[in-house]
Amino acid sequence: EAGVAQSPRYKIIEKRQSVAFWCNPISGHATLYWYQQILGQGPKLLIQFQNNGVVDDSQLPKDRFSAERLKGVDSTLKIQPAKLEDSAVYLCASSSPGAFREQFFGPGTRLTVL
Amino acid sequence: KNEVEQSPQNLTAQEGEFITINCSYSVGISALHWLQQHPGGGIVSLFMLSSGKKKHGRLIATINIQEKHSSLHITASHPRDSAVYICAVKAGGGADGLTFGKGTHLIIQP
């Protein structure tokens, strides 16, 4: 079974530029999560999708961050415009169906904003 | 909002030692995860617990729901166990994104 795929693995941009990250979850996983992990900290949930609907985006900075999952499969997270404090690893995860819904994580995208 | 605290933040031990990492949380949960993260690597789920104890190889995870506390133990530690170990909790309900601790940076010296 293929794992959660993310691209790119690394991205370096200048502040005020735009950037987009892509995630393809494990086949059959209806729930998809985007997390932000700043160096030295634990990940923080940005947004959770159930199929193509948003379940929780309470911690997503909506003035600059947006995410979509139009067909309920892969997802894109965008930052526009980027700030220095957005430098982090962006992790995508998907969870299996069932009561406990264990989460499986992708390798992450490391973003550096200069 | 759930607060997740891990201790210690950093731990250096000698190969073969018994390792314990602790996690406490402030609000009732539906499940608790122990995750492993290697430098530059993604996150791997080690355990998901809702009660009691689980064992996988040299790793043991326990949870006490009443005390809102969980521990991760590593027996016969090995340098390849060196990683960041993260505790994360999931509240009940439909919005089940995880709330993470800051992680415990473990180094096992040969």
Side-chain angles (χ1 to χ4, degrees), chain A residues 40-97:
Chain A
Q41 298 183 19
K44 179 184 81 172
L45 178 69
L46 293 176
I47 189 167
Q48 176 187 346
F49 290 97
Q50 180 73 18
N51 296 308
N52 61 351
V54 175
V55 176
D56 183 1
D57 64 355
S58 57
Q59 299 189 89
L60 185 74
K62 298 181 186 64
D63 57 333
R64 298 183 300 107
F65 285 65
S66 64
E68 60 184 15
R69 195 184 183 201
L70 294 176
K71 296 182 179 178
V73 180
D74 56 348
S75 175
T76 303
L77 176 69
K78 296 179 182 177
I79 308 175
Q80 180 179 7
K83 293 185 175 182
L84 296 177
E85 58 262 35
D86 298 331
S87 294
V89 175
Y90 291 85
L91 295 161
C92 179
S94 66
S95 64
S96 53

Side-chain angles (χ1 to χ4, degrees), chain B residues 24-65:
Chain B
S24 61
Y25 51 93
S26 57
V27 180
I29 61 171
S30 63
L32 181 144
H33 291 246
W34 281 104
L35 307 158
Q36 182 191 58
Q37 187 172 34
H38 284 280
I43 292 177
V44 175
S45 178
L46 299 175
F47 295 103
M48 188 170 67
L49 295 166
S50 58
S51 64
K53 174 180 174 179
K54 286 190 175 180
K55 184 176 189 292
H56 185 252
R58 295 181 294 106
L59 302 177
I60 303 166
T62 63
I63 188 168
N64 185 317
I65 297 295

